[in-house]
Amino acid sequence: MYSRIAGTGSYLPDRVVTNAEMETMVETTDEWIRSRTGIERRHLASAHESTSQMSAEAARRAMEMAGVTADDIDFVVVGTCTPDILFPNVATMVQDRLGIHDCPAFSLETACSGFVYGLSIADKYIRLGEAKCALVIGAETLSRIVDWTDRTTCVLFGDGAGAVVLKASEEPGILTTILSADGKYGDLLSFPMGPSRGFDALRAGAAGGIQMKGAEVFKVAVNTLSRLVDQTLDKAGVDKSAIDWLVPHQANLRIIQAAAKKLDLPMEQVVVTVQEHGNTSAASIPLALDVAVRDGRIKPGQTLLLETFGGGFTWGSALLKF
Ligand code: UT7
């Protein structure tokens, strides 16, 4: 028994903020943002948009493509570090919005790796016969936790959601996944406030938001992803020449190019959306996947490598037949 992606969907807020608009908000330039990251614009949520609402919209579209209804869904997982509220968790809110009842529903706060972590767990449930049709979602409203006065981070992030329907299948779908993490890097990328540590800094009106030591994160990301690519191919017993598409986490075009080089893959076989979406953390891979499925680039039967890296640090990969 395998699990296989039966449908993809995504949701992006209407509001698009270009680099030119960012220039009016902080001391930056379009040239700096493009050359360092590849980002040209990002979508930002309006007041009526939330992580659960975007998740539900993306899920609805994935379910439509898969031809399944709320009654078919027996597992819901949402990767997000920007839930609407602390609890109920976002996945239960998605259940409620879509009329899904009586199945596991939980969220994962593994930052940019949230979608791949969710995919790996849902795959295990399906392979063990404990679920037949899972919703796996990655969604973020990062604009709500960004420090809009900090030019080193605020230009990088965007909002959005992506989802897949993962169904039990006798044909191979997900071939292997790898999840990993190393907490010793926690301080390099964080949102260092929360219910247990307290929100005092925020209450005191101090600037607060995502904090990142960008150049250090960059180095560890490139090295870790390079190792991860080898580990994934080894584990699956697949040669890199078999990969049709790399669908990477969209943090920085230069990190994506390094991964493509490692695979000897021309950039034409890499799905790149960072220029349009910015870094949407857990949403970035399912968003990119949906874009390339809907524009006809990714076709049934092709072999895809998904890889991600983010706060924690956490990282992970999935090698799959689409
Ligand atoms: O998604 C989770 C994982 N996250 C990542 O993978 C992100 C990894 N890191 C990166 O993508 C890159 O490190 C960044 C894009 C964040 C930064 O690029 P960089 O080439 O590493 O730049 P830097 O941080 O070393 O900064 C270079 C210079 C600094 O000025 P000085 O000290 O050299 O005078 C910064 O102050 O660029 C300056 N700078 C800016 N200038 C204009 C930083 N942010 C900006 C900005 N506009 N927005």
Side-chain angles (χ1 to χ4, degrees):
M1 181 62 74
Y2 293 93
S3 75
R4 190 164 192 166
I5 294 176
T8 63
S10 59
Y11 177 92
L12 286 162
D14 285 339
R15 183 166 172 237
V16 176
V17 175
T18 60
N19 289 350
E21 200 176 335
M22 293 300 313
E23 287 178 1
T24 68
M25 296 158 75
V26 284
E27 199 184 326
T28 191
T29 60
D30 173 49
E31 205 283 317
W32 189 94
I33 302 172
R34 271 177 207 251
S35 62
R36 302 282 175 142
T37 70
I39 298 167
E40 295 171 20
R41 55 187 70 80
R42 71 287 289 144
H43 294 248
L44 299 186
S46 302
H48 69 279
E49 289 164 319
S50 66
T51 298
S52 69
Q53 170 265 337
M54 295 193 294
S55 295
E57 282 307 320
R60 218 186 296 277
R61 292 167 193 179
M63 287 163 65
E64 207 174 279
M65 187 189 285
V68 302
T69 68
D71 291 340
D72 298 312
I73 303 294
D74 57 6
F75 188 94
V76 186
V77 56
V78 182
T80 186
C81 56
T82 47
D84 297 34
I85 54 176
L86 271 178
F87 65 88
N89 81 70
V90 174
T92 59
M93 291 180 173
V94 171
Q95 271 189 314
D96 189 43
R97 284 177 183 271
L98 298 179
I100 299 166
H101 305 284
D102 197 15
C103 70
F106 60 98
S107 58
L108 292 165
E109 49 183 20
T110 49
C112 304
S113 307
F115 174 77
V116 173
Y117 264 66
L119 193 69
S120 178
I121 295 166
D123 172 56
K124 305 290 184 294
Y125 261 76
I126 289 175
R127 278 173 193 251
L128 287 169
E130 300 224 350
K132 287 194 173 61
C133 188
L135 262 181
V136 183
I137 301 167
E140 301 284 8
T141 323
L142 293 168
S143 59
R144 311 265 208 258
I145 62 162
V146 158
D147 176 356
W148 286 102
T149 64
D150 177 8
R151 69 172 185 173
T152 68
T153 51
C154 75
V155 301
L156 304 174
F157 298 104
D159 300 331
V164 303
V165 170
L166 198 64
K167 277 176 85 171
S169 158
E170 278 167 19
E171 299 291 313
I174 293 183
L175 302 173
T176 197
T177 61
I178 292 180
L179 303 181
S180 194
D182 193 332
K184 81 176 177 198
Y185 297 108
D187 288 343
L188 295 185
L189 175 53
S190 66
F191 179 78
M193 281 163 269
S196 167
R197 184 179 289 186
F199 291 102
D200 291 352
L202 271 189
R203 285 201 194 97
I210 296 177
Q211 296 182 2
M212 178 162 73
K213 297 198 172 85
E216 290 165 66
V217 177
F218 188 97
K219 268 182 242 148
V220 186
V222 169
N223 291 334
T224 306
L225 290 170
S226 164
R227 218 172 52 238
L228 179 65
V229 163
D230 285 337
Q231 287 168 340
T232 311
L233 294 170
D234 279 356
K235 190 175 170 200
V238 168
D239 189 77
K240 61 184 170 187
S241 61
I243 292 173
D244 295 301
W245 290 101
L246 173 64
V247 188
H249 172 47
Q250 311 281 325
N252 186 313
L253 184 59
R254 290 180 292 144
I255 297 178
I256 295 172
Q257 285 165 336
K261 195 168 167 214
K262 171 84 190 169
L263 285 163
D264 294 329
L265 212 58
M267 287 305 285
E268 291 71 38
Q269 281 171 260
V270 182
V271 182
V272 181
T273 51
V274 71
Q275 72 283 7
E276 300 292 324
H277 302 163
N279 181 348
T280 58
S281 182
S284 90
I285 288 180
L287 263 168
L289 183 63
D290 187 49
V291 166
V293 167
R294 286 181 193 261
D295 70 19
R297 273 180 289 169
I298 293 180
K299 296 183 177 60
Q302 289 187 323
T303 303
L304 277 47
L305 177 63
L306 281 43
E307 45 98 328
T308 187
F309 181 88
F313 292 142
T314 59
W315 59 93
S317 63
L319 188 73
L320 59 95
K321 286 251 176 241
F322 186 72

